[in-house]
Amino acid sequence: MALYAGFFDWPPMIEFEVLDATGAPTTGSIEVVGGRYFLRPARGFGFSTGASTERTLKTKIEGVPTLVRGNIFVHDGVVGLRINEAHVGTDDPNARFISVSAAIELLPSLCTWRPDDGAARSMSTRFELPGIAPSPAMTLMISNDGAAVITAATPTGLDDFDHHLIALQDLVCFAADQPVERLSLVATLPSGLPVKVLGWNRFPPFDAHTRQPVEYLFRFGAAYAQEMISGWWNYRTTHRPVTQILAGLRYQPGWIETSVNILATCVELFGRVQFPSSVSRRISMIDFAEIETALSGRSGLNRAQRDFISNIKSLAEGRPQKLYQSIDSIVADLGETLGEAGINGAEWKAALIAARNGVSHSGGGEGLTDQEMRAVRDATRTALSLVILKQLSLPSAALARAAERLKMRYTINYREQAIYSL
């Protein structure tokens, strides 16, 4: 997390004291250095090599108690603090909250409905959010202005809320097929007082533009949205890191070869978890479940013992499901939907396997050009997105619309590529 410049108007000078440190309060000025906020103190911070660089300060902003966290940072020979986060409304480092309200790019325009979505839902109905370990289950309400309000059953720390906020932000990114960022975050204390939380961001704003409802892969105004949310939340654990990577490749696109390789891994993993091959197992999943629970419940084991248990699990599962088996399962599950997205299943399978093997084992891309690699990347992202939507019970009409949208978005770039030839 980081506090980027522009998210808050700081006063030119603050008086503060460092928690868990001796000495009287001092003052400091706030500057912008490299797109981040830098606190230049009147009296330097104590610092020694090898010691923690983290510091927590108590101050007031316009008379409001404020907590500031940051790391020692040297600028122009001055040992100051690069500010990572601030809580304007409380200076309690152990504050707990009952709810948070976050503005996320594109979320308001995602709260729509189309006829192909089937039944609509009332936006005044709360969404149930399953727990994401170690965060407990919570509820989500989308306010009239499109802000996401997440509420906990009992007061808890920001970390617990953040697991849910990240899952929601990634889901919006997935639905819009473009990166989005959290624009603001306000937490509510048990007393009802609001606390403006600054710095719980992963990126600067992407300046995402509002899109037409037809352009989204699904919409929160549909009755299926609860099932979509429940499934996505559960996938954060059961199918990790598939959903995290699908969003991550939109936030920070990497090298083509890296993207293709990691997407191939996601395809292999998703197929293994969602469409396990019964032939490859030495013992059925049902028969092995009790044994696996007993093995996984052991604590205090050394490295050799943990490795031996992993070997037992591997033997029970038999030969790991191969990439081609996962691809076959996904192609079979999607059926005509893959063609509706403009993708030739047989060509996609051959190209993805060749690209993955070339990158992983041969140090190259099996002779594929950059454009061909990009076609493999985008076709794989599309296939994964569609199979996730289908497995999360998106209605067939809405799934067909999502496939059509993805076809319109990507086919135009790859008219000469075999993957997109039907």
Side-chain angles (χ1 to χ4, degrees):
M1 301 299 180
L3 177 54
Y4 298 98
F7 270 77
F8 187 68
D9 292 327
W10 292 88
M13 187 75 65
I14 62 171
E15 181 177 347
F16 64 89
E17 61 178 294
V18 182
L19 296 185
D20 301 324
T22 58
T26 187
T27 60
S29 60
I30 305 293
E31 304 173 7
V32 175
V33 177
R36 302 280 296 278
Y37 292 111
F38 175 71
L39 172 61
R40 180 186 292 267
R43 184 174 65 246
F45 289 98
F47 176 68
S48 59
T49 302
S52 172
T53 64
E54 295 182 358
R55 297 291 185 274
T56 302
L57 318 179
K58 291 175 64 174
T59 184
K60 287 189 176 181
I61 304 294
E62 297 182 352
V64 178
T66 301
L67 187 80
V68 176
R69 289 193 176 99
N71 289 87
I72 298 296
F73 187 79
V74 180
H75 176 62
D76 287 343
V78 176
V79 180
L81 193 77
R82 184 165 64 185
I83 299 174
N84 295 330
E85 67 176 285
H87 301 176
V88 183
T90 181
D91 57 13
D92 179 3
N94 300 309
R96 301 173 79 80
F97 305 93
I98 58 172
S99 68
V100 297
S101 176
I104 298 174
E105 288 182 305
L106 295 185
L107 178 57
S109 61
L110 190 58
C111 299
T112 51
W113 172 88
R114 283 180 50 84
D116 46 29
D117 286 322
R121 75 184 300 276
S122 170
M123 293 307 297
S124 63
T125 304
R126 291 179 179 270
F127 291 107
E128 300 294 328
L129 306 181
I132 302 178
S135 299
M138 298 187 185
T139 61
L140 165 67
M141 186 76 180
I142 300 179
S143 63
N144 291 334
D145 60 358
V149 181
I150 297 178
T151 303
T154 57
T156 188
L158 284 176
D159 283 333
D160 282 343
F161 288 104
D162 201 50
H163 286 103
H164 293 287
L165 286 167
I166 290 174
L168 177 61
Q169 183 179 332
D170 286 355
L171 183 58
V172 175
C173 170
F174 174 71
D177 195 34
Q178 71 176 77
V180 297
E181 178 56 305
R182 191 185 309 164
L183 301 178
S184 66
L185 182 63
V186 177
T188 302
L189 294 164
S191 64
L193 292 176
V195 175
K196 188 172 185 176
V197 179
L198 308 171
W200 282 62
N201 304 90
R202 290 185 280 177
F203 310 98
F206 290 98
D207 296 325
H209 300 292
T210 300
R211 308 179 78 157
Q212 294 298 318
V214 69
E215 296 188 66
Y216 295 108
L217 301 185
F218 66 89
R219 287 153 287 274
F220 285 166
Y224 60 69
Q226 175 61 67
E227 194 166 1
M228 183 71 61
I229 284 176
S230 297
W232 182 268
W233 258 243
N234 290 329
Y235 274 16
R236 307 294 284 183
T237 301
T238 61
H239 294 64
R240 186 180 179 93
V242 175
T243 60
Q244 288 87 342
I245 287 173
L246 277 177
L249 290 178
R250 301 304 286 151
Y251 294 128
Q252 293 183 313
W255 297 104
I256 303 172
E257 290 81 1
T258 303
S259 298
V260 169
N261 214 30
I262 200 169
L263 283 168
T265 301
C266 287
V267 167
E268 191 170 51
L269 173 62
F270 189 88
R272 189 179 301 167
V273 174
Q274 198 69 25
F275 311 110
S277 172
S278 59
V279 177
S280 65
R281 296 190 65 88
R282 298 185 62 177
I283 183 173
S284 73
M285 296 176 69
I286 295 175
D287 289 339
F288 187 63
E290 187 173 342
I291 300 173
E292 185 174 29
T293 299
L295 291 173
S296 301
R298 303 292 296 175
S299 60
L301 301 180
N302 60 33
R303 175 65 179 271
Q305 291 168 325
R306 293 196 301 272
D307 287 347
F308 188 72
I309 287 177
S310 295
N311 186 51
I312 293 173
K313 292 180 179 180
S314 179
L315 288 172
E317 292 176 356
R319 177 174 55 84
Q321 186 163 304
K322 301 295 185 181
L323 174 59
Y324 78 87
Q325 293 173 304
S326 291
I327 295 175
D328 287 343
S329 297
I330 290 173
V331 170
D333 185 68
L334 286 176
E336 294 180 357
T337 301
L338 196 59
E340 291 170 351
I343 297 172
N344 183 312
E347 293 288 348
W348 170 56
K349 174 182 175 180
L352 179 57
I353 292 173
R356 196 282 301 269
N357 290 345
V359 172
S360 298
H361 307 307
S362 304
E366 287 294 318
L368 296 176
T369 66
D370 283 353
Q371 185 70 351
E372 289 170 333
M373 290 287 280
R374 291 190 184 95
V376 175
R377 177 196 62 193
D378 290 341
T380 304
R381 285 184 53 252
T382 295
L384 268 174
S385 298
L386 291 173
V387 77
I388 285 174
L389 290 169
K390 182 176 180 182
Q391 290 299 308
L392 296 184
S393 301
L394 188 71
S396 58
L399 182 65
R401 194 71 182 94
E404 180 187 1
R405 183 56 201 156
L406 290 170
K407 177 181 179 180
M408 292 172 61
R409 189 168 299 169
Y410 294 111
T411 304
I412 190 173
N413 299 320
Y414 308 114
R415 289 176 175 171
E416 306 302 320
Q417 305 302 317
I419 291 179
Y420 284 90
S421 63
L422 292 175

